[in-house]
Structure formats: C-alpha cells, structure tokens
Amino acid sequence: MSAPASTRTIVVLPTYDEAENVGRMLAAVRAAAPSADVLVVDDNSPDGTADLVEAVAAELGQIKLLRRPGKHGLGSAYRDGFAIALDEGYTAIVSMDVDFSHDPAVVPELLRVLDAGADAVIGSRYVPGGATVDWPLHRRLLSRWGNRYTSLVLGLPVRDCTSGFRAYRAEAMAAIDPTSTSAEGYAFLTELVRRLVARGYRVMETPIVFADRRYGRSKMSGRIVAESMLLVTRWGIGDIVARVTRRRR
Ligand SMILES: Nc1nc2c(ncn2[C@@H]2O[C@H](COP(=O)(O)OP(=O)(O)OP(=O)(O)O)[C@@H](O)[C@H]2O)c(=O)[nH]1
Ligand SMILES: [Mg+2]
C-alpha cells in the first residue's frame, strides 16, 4: 500500500498584521499536528509579525518564514507558499487563517479525510454541522449568498468555495499549478476548486464552525469582494460560451 497523503505535511499560514494572533496560532498548530511543518508567508507586516515568527521558530522548530517585501494579497501569498511546499516535496498541504477563525484542532480531521482518499478537503461552513458564529449579519449574508452564486454559476458540487481552511494532496495541487492563477483575494480559493473539479479530483467538505477574529483588524475589502464576484461571473460566462462552441462544432 502507498504511504498516506499526510506523511509529510506542511501548514501554510498567510499573515498580515497578525502580531496578536501568530504566536498563539503557531503553538496551537504544533499542539494539534505535532509532526507537521509550518510555513508562514508574511507581507512585511508593519506590526512586526515576521520578527515574532522568527522568535517562535527558534523556540519551537519546524517553522519556516517567507518574508515578502509588501502586501500583495491573500491569493499571491498562497501562490508563493504553495510553490515552496511543492518544491520541498511535502505530500500534504494545509492552508488556514491565523486569526483563529479556523480552529487548529480540526487539522487532524482534514488530514484524516485526505488519507481516506480525498484529493482535497475543505473545512465548510455550509454543509450540515457547519456554521459561522459572531459574524455581523451583512458578512454572513454576503458569504452565504456569494457561495450560493458561485456554486450555481460555475456548476461546482462544493458549498463553501471561499473557505481557506483546507488540505490538499500534493499531486493534485501540483497538477492544477496554483502559480498560474491570477486572483488577488479569496477568488483564488474558488479558482483552485474550479481547477480541481475540472480535472476530476475528489473534493470533499467537512463541517467547521467559523468564528470571527477576536484580535487584530479585518483585511477584507469591497475591492476583494468585487474581484470575486466579477471573476466568478466571467468564468461562468466563459463556461457557457465554451459549451455552445463545442455544441456548434
Ligand atoms: N501574506 C498576506 N496575508 C494576508 C493578506 N491579506 C490577508 N492575509 C492573511 O490571510 C488570512 C485570511 O485573511 P482574510 O480572512 O482574507 O482577512 P481577515 O483580515 O482575516 O478578514 P476577516 O475576513 O474579516 O477575518 C489571515 O491570516 C490574514 O492575516 C495579504 O495581503 N498578505
Ligand atoms: Mg479572517
């Protein structure tokens, strides 16, 4: 039998101004998944997040840090982080937010689903058992209806395309080549789901309870939401055009 997907796991954590969360999160990830390495991708956070990561790394070990020169967005941070994970030969890649919206205690469950045969598993707010707590009504509505729109327009069998709490089998990640994506914000996450599904990979969802950040400031912006809706609409129209062109031929 081949080795389980989680044999060599890396947890990729994008950070921007997470000084209040990052130390606690690194300790929590270590406690939840002691054999996993961690890669923090920091965009020169003005609050000194990267220096804190270095101090914790010296203490805990198995923590790498990619310092980028400036804020280039979540999509771009993941592109760089995933490229390093693939280059270094990890077999499973986990992604999660550092603000404790994603509970690190769920990481072993994601890896279990991967080891049971999934190519990717999404921690989902919108499958039975999943939920969002503490978020103001407008954020809940935006996320819920944004995800309904996304699944419908793109015909994806996934309820939570914008959840960043995931685990991927490295072969599947390599096949969809994340470096060739273009979205800046969380539309990047939808882009990956779309590519995985198009290639016939097995994408599963496991319920999570998503909590609002307790410390630090939100980086969500109207521009990022607009990018996501625009790209989903553009991809959806592209799919329709491709289907019609195929039928005409
Ligand atoms: N490296 C990097 N990380 C980012 C960037 N923007 C957000 N992040 C991190 O990505 C993770 C998820 O961020 P988001 O959920 O999009 O934004 P947020 O600030 O948590 O906003 P909320 O959705 O309100 O919680 C967090 O760990 C952020 O610190 C960025 O431009 N560069
Ligand atoms: Mg957040």
Side-chain angles (χ1 to χ4, degrees), residues 198-216:
R199 285 173 171 260
Y201 283 114
R202 201 153 161 231
V203 181
M204 314 275 286
E205 287 180 279
T206 194
I208 57 159
V209 175
F210 179 100
D212 197 5
R213 64 160 69 241
R214 241 185 296 152
Y215 305 101

Side-chain angles (χ1 to χ4, degrees), residues 97 99 101 213:
D97 296 354
D99 55 4
S101 286
R213 64 160 69 241

Side-chain angles (χ1 to χ4, degrees), residues 19-34:
E20 287 167 288
N21 292 309
V22 77
R24 259 178 295 206
M25 178 50 79
L26 290 170
V29 168
R30 178 57 42 80

Side-chain angles (χ1 to χ4, degrees), residues 14-18 41-43 68 71-74 77 96-99 101 135 139 186 210 212-213 217-220:
T15 55
Y16 191 77
D17 276 353
E18 299 288 4
V41 182
D42 185 73
D43 281 2
R68 307 200 315 160
K71 188 172 183 336
H72 293 298
L74 188 61
M96 62 186 291
D97 296 354
V98 178
D99 55 4
S101 286
W135 251 8
R139 284 295 298 269
Y186 60 77
F210 179 100
D212 197 5
R213 64 160 69 241
R217 193 176 46 81
S218 172
K219 277 124 237 157
M220 244 272 292

Side-chain angles (χ1 to χ4, degrees), residues 168-226:
Y168 307 84
R169 201 178 275 267
E171 294 101 291
M173 173 72 86
I176 59 169
D177 185 15
T179 59
S180 68
T181 59
S182 54
E184 183 194 322
Y186 60 77
F188 167 78
L189 297 165
T190 304
E191 207 170 358
L192 294 193
V193 174
R194 190 169 143 73
R195 289 183 179 199
L196 287 167
V197 170
R199 285 173 171 260
Y201 283 114
R202 201 153 161 231
V203 181
M204 314 275 286
E205 287 180 279
T206 194
I208 57 159
V209 175
F210 179 100
D212 197 5
R213 64 160 69 241
R214 241 185 296 152
Y215 305 101
R217 193 176 46 81
S218 172
K219 277 124 237 157
M220 244 272 292
S221 67
R223 198 164 63 90
I224 293 298
V225 178

